Amino acid sequence: MMLKVTLQQSSPIKLDVKFSCESGETLALVGPSGAGKSTVLRCIAGLSLVRHGQVLCKNETWFDSDARVNKTPQQRRVGMVFQNYALFPHLTVADNLKLALDKGIANSQYNIDKLLDQVNLTGLEQRYPAQLSGGQQQRVALARALARQPQVLLLDEPFSAVDKVTRRKLYLELNTLRRNLDMPVILVTHDLDEAAMLADSLCVIHHGKTLQHGSPEQVLYQPINSSVARQVDVRNILKGRIKSHNGELMLEWHHYVFSVSHLSGFAEGQYVVFALSPAKILLHQRVRPSRGVQENPVAGIIRDRVTLRGITTVLFSVALAEDTILQMDLPEHVAMRNQLNIGEMITVSLLADAIHVMAE
């Protein structure tokens, strides 16, 4: 079962979106607030109408503007979890689920028990939403979405209303649950860490347009252009020029010339943008020489450092590069062992494999 989505319109909300998601896979729609992510979900569910495009699920046409097909939300068999859960406050957990169950399904109590077991809420069927924690309400909303036996599961910022501790527990539960879901799952989130943790693929949307669709590794570490790089919070985005050196294409940046592993498709003299993952900058350790110290060495002065959850981020200004600030991430113990203090000189290597060159 595959979900294929193509949506296009110029107004009232601009859309130019195209992606697909296989059964059993989770695709995350990521982008800033107002990018059109939730609108895309509503178009898939049939809650909003787009002017042009197609929504196909399991070789069944849910929407086709050219063929004038537009199935109702009830006909589309979509399970949807809203940001605010949208539970009926005057109904118990069991009654909230009963409303979503297919009336043709026999033994509704068995199905309610099964759904509650799936989301770890057994024994809470007679409680009302106000008697539940935020995490429990989220689980009820998920169980209600699954009660319809949907062909597609849509999750619209499902974790935004819970605290960080609860959110981490729900991540683990959803990650376990989705392995047993034989359907495409579309997750809308603005949290890139959340998307990378839970999704098999990412689709970056900005101003209603698909900028890139690929695996988390491709999108986060190999963005196709600077627009995508900025949307996925790449921290070291720099400008350079392709240069020929001894018959080999290299990357010129200020007074440096770097070897780069992947420069196919670029031409001598071309101005480009390149990105460096902070986690892939290699520190030349003071206590023990590092391998690769001869590869694209750069010197700089530490301007600041901050440690969070065992990772130390070092900001250093690069000599011979107009004091451009680069960020480098290191395990906290490495920073401590090498005594990386503000104002001190360090040298690093910008590994050829770690430099990602892209179009402006």
Side-chain angles (χ1 to χ4, degrees), residues 54-64 67 69-71:
Q54 285 185 326
V55 178
L56 307 176
C57 183
K58 199 179 179 180
N59 297 321
E60 180 183 345
T61 301
W62 286 358
F63 173 75
D64 189 323
V69 174
N70 183 24
K71 293 195 172 184

Side-chain angles (χ1 to χ4, degrees), residues 311-356:
I311 298 297
T312 296
T313 297
V314 177
L315 284 72
F316 63 98
S317 59
V318 181
L320 305 178
E322 300 178 1
D323 289 328
T324 300
I325 299 293
L326 294 184
Q327 294 187 35
M328 172 176 60
D329 289 343
L330 299 165
E332 182 180 8
H333 68 88
V334 173
M336 292 178 62
R337 187 171 66 240
N338 285 273
Q339 300 179 356
L340 301 184
N341 299 315
I342 295 173
E344 294 192 0
M345 178 74 72
I346 59 171
T347 56
V348 301
S349 279
L350 310 185
L351 301 179
D353 280 337
I355 299 175
H356 174 62

Side-chain angles (χ1 to χ4, degrees), residues 127-144:
R127 292 196 184 181
Y128 290 88
Q131 297 173 311
L132 302 175
S133 67
Q136 289 170 334
Q137 290 183 46
Q138 196 265 5
R139 293 184 184 98
V140 176
L142 179 58
R144 186 181 59 183

Side-chain angles (χ1 to χ4, degrees), residues 239-257:
K239 291 188 176 183
R241 187 171 69 97
I242 304 300
K243 180 178 182 178
S244 180
H245 182 72
N246 294 331
E248 178 184 359
L249 289 181
M250 303 187 76
L251 176 63
E252 182 181 48
W253 180 60
H254 295 285
H255 294 282
Y256 296 95
V257 178

